[in-house]
């Protein structure tokens, strides 16, 4: 599918004449080894999603067990986003230093320690200590999953494969909701410990398969001068030998290795191999293209979180309680439906990113989310102002929550990971790190203020606020977001550099 000429027609008008798309013969199926590598790397996101999902129910039992206040609940739920900032800030540099593969192992180690400490926490303070390790792992995992997947995937499947981290995040959220329901019948002091502690098993499995199966990213290998190893990986992860050689040539050109050089090991200038001056190139002296890319990446991560998705996921039992559902079992079942909807909806993006493109999906996603939030806010306002319980408002509230998470997962959510393809090789890990810092900071603000916010402006007003931010987000994406479908990774940068490209007629 990725080899067809029409795969790149949507972007042909945006390219410089010097940028030529990589032409590939038609292929009947995806590269199975690249698919396997993308799946393994993306498994790190399972525990990220699991924590988001499981805390929505576990915090109910933690509150009863430790006798904590709503403010402490907000801090417990939201502080992991602040801890994740520490992981995200370090992950870019560490992945450039030790490689993408071993950074995945390191992320698994943090998540393992966090799960163990939280499961055995004797009090609130110790639980917060365990949240630090889990949060650091959550900062590492999304960055390395997206960077590795983008760098190992052939252009024909990059959009599809890059959605896998979000697929696994949603699968993890669903598992968290199922865990809530499964362990809710245990005594209060045991149920939430099993909910949080069981996360140690996937982290051990991920570290093992990463060491045994995954190769290192070919682009990172070339940055280290290990061209021969990179060539072998490219051959295994490309659609054809011709494509692997073309990818190798493109990466060598970007790194500064002469095309005539056939050595397996090459001495790379220190600036290229160790990332000196990366921060200057990102912020102090960026090119027009890099400036446009960073505006797009930072804006994307801001709007992903500031439109309230974490509030819906983490506080869905509270939202359903406000809607009129009083039974704990019914609230947990409705919450599990949120996880199932998110998991199924992200598959739309998986199948369509390489077929219809990134831009149509992100614009549709934000528009649908905006409308869902407006209707949800209106319905919750009607419920609050009414003295009678109306069945239709309960049903509409549940439907709009499901609609909100569905639209998010079909575009906005997976684009968080796909956007790694925007950044040039040398700047990719650190640029993604910056985006994730904004992501987690915005997520922390949302999750740590939601309960206080809806008390201040009503729960309906809170969702009207998120809808307003989403509307601004749609305008932002319409102006700055180009189409990158079907482009070779080393050529994507050529689409950026003119923030007003949308109005030039070149679509």
């Amino acid at each position: 599918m990725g080899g067809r000429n029409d795969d790149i027609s949507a972007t042909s008008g945006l390219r410089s004449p010097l940028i030529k798309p990589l032409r590939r013969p038609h292929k009947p199926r995806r590269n199975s080894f690249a698919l396997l590598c993308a799946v393994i790397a993306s498994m790190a996101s399972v525990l990220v999603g699991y924590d988001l999902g499981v805390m929505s129910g576990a915090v109910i039992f933690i509150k009863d067990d430790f006798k904590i206040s709503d403010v402490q609940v907000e801090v417990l739920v939201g502080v992991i986003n602040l801890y994740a900032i520490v992981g995200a800030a370090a992950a870019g540099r560490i992945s450039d230093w030790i490689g993408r593969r071993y950074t995945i192992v390191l992320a698994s180690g943090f998540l393992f320690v966090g799960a163990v400490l939280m499961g055995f926490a004797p009090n609130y303070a110790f639980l917060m200590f365990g949240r630090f390790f889990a949060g650091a792992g959550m900062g590492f995992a999304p960055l390395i999953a997206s960077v590795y997947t983008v760098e190992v995937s052939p252009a024909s499947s990059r959009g599809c494969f890059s959605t896998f981290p979000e697929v696994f995040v949603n699968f993890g959220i669903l598992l968290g909701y199922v865990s809530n329901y499964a362990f809710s019948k245990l005594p209060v002091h045991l149920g939430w410990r099993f909910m949080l502690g069981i996360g140690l098993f996937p982290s051990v499995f991920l570290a093992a398969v990463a060491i045994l199966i995954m190769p290192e990213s070919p682009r990172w290998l070339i940055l280290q001068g290990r061209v021969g190893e990179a060539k072998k990986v490219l051959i295994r992860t490309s659609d054809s030998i011709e494509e692997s050689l073309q990818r190798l040539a493109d990466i060598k050109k970007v790194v500064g290795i002469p095309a005539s050089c056939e050595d397996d090991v090459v001495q790379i200038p220190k600036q290229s191999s160790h990332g000196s001056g990366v921060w200057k190139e990102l912020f102090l002296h960026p090119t027009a293209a890099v400036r446009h890319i960073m505006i797009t990446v930072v804006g994307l991560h801001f709007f992903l979180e500031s439109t309230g998705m974490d509030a819906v996921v983490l506080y869905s039992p509270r939202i359903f309680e406000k809607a009129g559902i009083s039974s704990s079992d019914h609230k947990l079942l409705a919450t599990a439906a949120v996880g199932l909807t998110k998991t199924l909806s992200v598959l739309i993006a998986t199948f369509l990113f390489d077929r219809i493109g990134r831009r149509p999906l992100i614009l549709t996603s934000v528009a649908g989310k905006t409308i869902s939030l407006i209707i949800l806010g209106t319905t919750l306002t009607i419920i609050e102002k009414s003295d009678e319980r109306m069945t239709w408002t309960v049903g509409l509230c549940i439907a709009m929550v499901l609609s909100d998470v569905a639209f998010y997962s079909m575009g906005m959510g997976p684009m968080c990971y796909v956007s790694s393809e925007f950044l040039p090789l040398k700047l990719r890990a650190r640029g993604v790190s910056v985006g994730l810092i904004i992501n987690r900071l915005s997520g922390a603000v949302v999750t740590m203020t939601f309960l206080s916010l809806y008390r201040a402006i009503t729960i309906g007003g809170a969702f009207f606020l998120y809808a307003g931010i989403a509307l601004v987000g749609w305008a932002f994406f319409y102006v700055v977001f180009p189409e990158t479908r079907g482009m070779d990774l080393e050529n994507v940068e050529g689409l950026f550099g003119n923030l007003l490209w949308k109005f030039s007629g070149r679509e």
Side-chain angles (χ1 to χ4, degrees):
M1 59 182 239
R4 296 178 303 181
N5 290 337
D6 61 341
D7 274 356
I8 56 173
S9 60
T11 61
S12 60
L14 295 173
R15 294 194 190 93
S16 162
L18 297 178
I19 299 176
K20 295 182 180 180
L22 185 62
R23 298 184 179 275
R24 302 174 184 81
H26 176 76
K27 65 182 182 64
R29 57 193 176 89
R30 301 186 191 279
N31 183 294
S32 57
F33 184 69
L35 172 63
L36 176 63
C37 292
V39 167
I40 294 173
S42 303
M43 285 172 58
S45 301
V46 170
L47 286 172
V48 176
Y50 183 80
D51 186 90
L52 287 172
V54 80
M55 281 304 292
S56 66
V59 74
I60 298 172
F61 305 101
I62 294 171
K63 184 177 181 181
D64 289 342
D65 191 15
F66 289 157
K67 310 302 180 186
I68 58 178
S69 66
D70 272 351
V71 173
Q72 288 175 303
V73 168
E74 282 184 319
V75 173
L76 178 65
V77 169
V79 76
I80 200 165
N81 292 292
L82 297 179
Y83 294 155
I85 291 174
V86 177
R93 186 171 184 84
I94 288 174
S95 69
D96 282 342
W97 176 37
I98 67 174
R100 318 314 194 199
R101 179 170 167 245
Y102 286 109
T103 305
I104 291 175
V105 177
L106 184 60
S108 301
F110 275 109
L111 293 167
F112 172 83
V113 173
V116 172
L117 293 178
M118 289 190 296
F120 287 100
N123 52 48
Y124 181 78
F126 199 91
L127 183 59
M128 291 288 285
F129 180 60
R131 296 286 281 170
F132 171 78
F133 286 91
M138 288 177 64
F140 273 85
L143 180 141
I144 200 58
S146 61
V147 170
Y148 181 88
T149 302
V150 160
E151 291 187 348
V152 82
S153 302
S156 62
S157 305
R158 193 174 63 243
C160 173
F161 292 175
S162 295
T163 66
F164 288 179
E166 180 68 10
V167 172
F168 281 97
V169 165
N170 285 289
F171 182 62
I173 290 173
L174 178 58
L175 288 179
Y177 289 154
V178 172
S179 176
N180 286 156
Y181 190 74
F183 295 117
S184 63
K185 303 296 188 268
L186 293 176
V188 171
H189 70 287
L190 289 178
W192 67 265
R193 296 180 188 279
F194 276 95
M195 293 175 192
L196 299 179
I198 203 170
L200 65 91
F201 295 106
S203 60
V204 173
F205 176 77
L206 173 62
V209 295
I211 291 173
L212 295 175
I213 298 175
M214 290 175 63
E216 183 53 80
S217 159
R219 289 172 167 85
W220 183 83
L221 288 171
I222 292 178
L223 278 176
Q224 310 310 306
R226 294 153 63 179
V227 180
E229 293 177 58
K231 183 176 180 180
K232 293 176 182 177
V233 177
L234 286 169
I235 289 172
R236 299 188 69 187
T237 58
S238 298
D239 296 333
S240 66
I241 294 294
E242 292 77 13
E243 183 193 26
S244 69
L245 295 177
Q246 181 63 58
R247 290 171 72 185
L248 178 64
D250 289 342
I251 301 169
K252 286 169 65 176
K253 181 178 179 181
V254 169
V255 175
I257 300 174
S260 58
C261 179
E262 298 293 337
D263 296 340
D264 286 344
V265 179
V266 179
Q267 184 66 38
I268 304 295
K270 185 176 181 180
Q271 183 176 0
S272 296
S273 61
H274 297 283
S276 301
V278 166
W279 297 117
K280 289 183 180 179
E281 291 187 40
L282 282 173
F283 296 112
L284 296 181
H285 307 293
T287 63
V290 169
R291 185 183 301 112
H292 184 176
I293 289 169
M294 289 307 298
I295 288 172
T296 304
V297 170
V298 168
L300 171 66
H301 282 277
F302 170 77
F303 287 112
L304 283 176
E305 293 301 323
S306 61
T307 50
M309 179 49 53
D310 277 1
V312 171
V313 171
L314 287 165
Y315 295 109
S316 50
R318 295 259 187 151
I319 296 169
F320 293 133
E321 182 181 334
K322 288 288 184 180
I325 301 175
S326 55
S327 166
S328 295
D329 282 349
H330 290 168
K331 282 187 284 188
L332 290 177
L333 283 173
T335 301
V338 173
L340 180 61
T341 301
K342 279 181 65 62
T343 303
L344 294 177
S345 300
V346 74
L347 297 178
I348 296 174
T350 298
F351 290 111
L352 294 183
F353 263 129
D354 286 322
R355 286 179 168 83
I356 69 173
R358 285 66 157 152
R359 184 175 163 82
L361 279 178
I362 191 73
L363 292 177
T364 301
S365 172
V366 181
K369 184 171 171 60
T370 303
I371 295 170
S372 300
L373 288 170
I374 291 172
I375 298 175
L376 177 60
T378 303
T379 307
L380 288 168
T381 300
I382 292 172
I383 291 172
E384 277 197 321
K385 293 184 178 299
S386 175
D387 296 328
E388 299 180 6
R389 184 177 184 273
M390 296 173 285
T391 305
W392 71 268
T393 55
V394 177
L396 185 58
C397 182
I398 294 173
M400 287 304 101
V401 169
L402 298 181
S403 173
D404 178 55
V405 299
F407 276 110
Y408 176 90
S409 294
M410 67 176 281
M412 294 180 74
M415 186 53 70
C416 165
Y417 303 96
V418 178
S419 63
S420 298
E421 70 184 6
F422 296 166
L423 288 147
L425 175 59
K426 181 183 173 183
L427 310 180
R428 185 167 298 130
R430 315 261 181 110
V432 173
S433 176
V434 171
L436 287 173
I437 289 171
I438 299 300
N439 182 295
R440 292 298 86 204
L441 185 61
S442 303
V445 171
V446 168
T447 54
M448 296 177 73
T449 61
F450 178 72
L451 297 180
S452 302
L453 180 66
Y454 85 60
R455 288 193 186 94
I457 63 174
T458 76
I459 191 167
F463 286 109
F464 284 136
L465 175 61
Y466 296 145
I469 296 172
L471 186 61
V472 175
W474 190 92
F476 172 83
F477 292 123
Y478 185 81
V479 172
V480 308
F481 209 93
E483 180 57 73
T484 57
R485 177 177 61 124
M487 292 213 58
D488 186 64
L489 195 57
E490 274 61 50
N491 292 335
V492 168
E493 185 182 355
L495 297 178
F496 292 86
N498 179 11
L499 284 175
L500 298 179
W501 67 269
K502 175 66 189 67
F503 304 104
S504 66
R506 296 180 297 166
E507 293 191 69

